[in-house]
Amino acid sequence: MYRNSIILILLLLLPAISIHGADTKQERNFIVEGNKLYSQKRYAEAETMYKKALTVSPTSEVARFNLASALIRQSGSADPNSGNTPLSDAISLLTELEKTAQMAAIVEKAAYDLGNISFNSQQYQQAIEHYKNALRKNPDNDKARENLRLAQKKLEEQQQNQDKQNQDNKDKQDQQDQQNKDQQQQQQNQNQNQDKKDEQKPQDQQQQQDKKDNDRQPPKQQSGGISDDNAEKILKAMENEEAATRKKVEARKQKANNARRRQVTRPW
């Protein structure tokens, strides 16, 4: 049962049906020789033989398929998307054969091999389509049917894992967005508190300045320019001065009266 490695089918075809002309015989001989080398695992030499067959008959479907098989055997674990490699060349040959080959067996086996390559690359949807194409040409291909079911199961698991990964990424993004929002709100609150302090500071400074100015100002004066305390002091001083003046006047009068009385009682 196919699990983790590519299943490759060794295609040893019977000689091509003879057609009039020496080129057809040469093509057949090159393919037969290539198949012998392929069976001996001499894949590079087999590749050379298949290419010689194609120089004789460029449209040979058998030679192109066998060449693709030889290239796959030489590719090892190469990445099919890594550029010009034996595997990428094999994929190009098989893809064309799957679409245009006239021989049903060639279409079936090309589609099957493409399904295996896609499966190995974890491109399960493509693998499913290739296995279905193989089964359309040969419904009795049990290996294609088995691999189709496995690819469908792998695709389902892949989609579930992708959905889980997407949800995890969304949760992380939501969490990050909330953290950013909280930080922005915290920064906004700090800015607002600082603005209030900045607004309150000039008012406090002005109140302190006003208090200092009030301490330095003289006592409040009346409308005449003299404060209440000074006016009261001046008024009392005037009253004292008047009282003293009256005492002096009375003392002078008393002295004068006394003098007159002495003159009367004791004349000179």
Side-chain angles (χ1 to χ4, degrees):
M1 181 177 181
Y2 175 55
R3 284 294 181 270
N4 297 320
S5 61
I6 297 177
I7 294 178
L8 298 174
I9 295 179
L10 177 61
L11 183 62
L12 298 175
L13 297 177
L14 294 174
I17 298 175
S18 177
I19 304 177
H20 295 292
D23 289 346
T24 301
K25 184 177 180 179
Q26 282 185 308
E27 171 196 350
R28 182 175 64 249
N29 290 338
F30 285 136
I31 291 175
V32 170
E33 184 63 24
N35 289 348
K36 290 180 181 179
L37 294 169
Y38 189 101
S39 64
Q40 298 171 10
K41 300 183 179 180
R42 297 161 63 182
Y43 303 118
E45 297 175 67
E47 173 190 349
T48 300
M49 290 296 104
Y50 297 139
K51 286 182 177 179
K52 287 182 178 181
L54 287 173
T55 60
V56 176
S57 180
T59 61
S60 172
E61 295 178 358
V62 174
R64 282 189 286 164
F65 179 82
N66 288 0
L67 174 59
S69 298
L71 290 172
I72 291 174
R73 288 294 191 181
Q74 296 177 74
S75 65
S77 59
D79 182 358
N81 300 316
S82 61
N84 293 327
T85 64
L87 184 56
S88 64
D89 293 340
I91 291 174
S92 296
L93 289 168
L94 293 174
T95 299
E96 184 179 1
L97 288 171
E98 183 185 24
K99 293 178 180 178
T100 63
Q102 298 299 313
M103 298 175 63
I106 295 295
V107 175
E108 173 199 349
K109 297 181 187 308
Y112 179 79
D113 284 353
L114 285 172
N116 292 338
I117 293 171
S118 297
F119 187 100
N120 240 31
S121 301
Q122 297 183 358
Q123 297 175 338
Y124 301 119
Q125 186 60 56
Q126 294 182 16
I128 289 171
E129 297 302 322
H130 291 309
Y131 291 139
K132 286 182 178 180
N133 285 341
L135 288 169
R136 290 187 184 100
K137 294 299 180 180
N138 181 13
D140 295 331
N141 189 334
D142 293 334
K143 290 183 178 181
R145 183 174 290 103
E146 182 181 1
N147 288 357
L148 171 61
R149 292 172 182 170
L150 183 59
Q152 290 171 334
K153 181 179 179 180
K154 288 291 186 180
L155 178 61
E156 183 179 356
E157 293 175 356
Q158 187 182 61
Q159 291 174 342
Q160 290 175 350
N161 292 334
Q162 186 62 45
D163 291 341
K164 184 178 183 301
Q165 183 64 38
N166 291 340
Q167 184 61 44
D168 291 342
N169 292 338
K170 183 178 182 302
D171 292 342
K172 291 180 180 179
Q173 186 61 45
D174 291 343
Q175 184 178 4
Q176 184 63 44
D177 291 343
Q178 185 61 43
Q179 290 178 353
N180 294 338
K181 185 178 179 180
D182 293 342
Q183 291 176 355
Q184 291 176 356
Q185 184 63 42
Q186 183 179 5
Q187 185 63 42
Q188 184 178 359
N189 293 337
Q190 291 177 353
N191 293 338
Q192 291 176 351
N193 292 335
Q194 186 62 42
D195 290 342
K196 290 180 180 179
K197 291 180 180 179
D198 292 341
E199 292 176 357
Q200 185 66 28
K201 187 174 181 181
Q203 295 179 1
D204 294 341
Q205 290 177 345
Q206 184 62 40
Q207 291 176 355
Q208 293 176 1
Q209 186 63 38
D210 292 343
K211 186 177 183 302
K212 291 180 180 179
D213 292 342
N214 291 334
D215 293 341
R216 289 196 296 266
Q217 288 178 359
K220 187 176 179 181
Q221 297 179 347
Q222 296 179 347
S223 60
I226 302 176
S227 66
D228 293 342
D229 292 340
N230 289 340
E232 184 177 356
K233 291 178 180 180
I234 292 172
L235 179 58
K236 189 171 183 179
M238 290 175 63
E239 290 177 350
N240 292 336
E241 187 177 354
E242 289 178 358
T245 301
R246 284 195 299 269
K247 287 181 179 181
K248 289 179 180 180
V249 173
E250 291 178 355
R252 289 176 184 174
K253 288 181 179 180
Q254 184 66 34
K255 185 177 181 180
N257 292 332
N258 291 336
R260 283 195 298 269
R261 282 197 294 270
R262 283 197 300 271
Q263 290 176 359
V264 172
T265 58
R266 296 179 182 177
W268 292 101

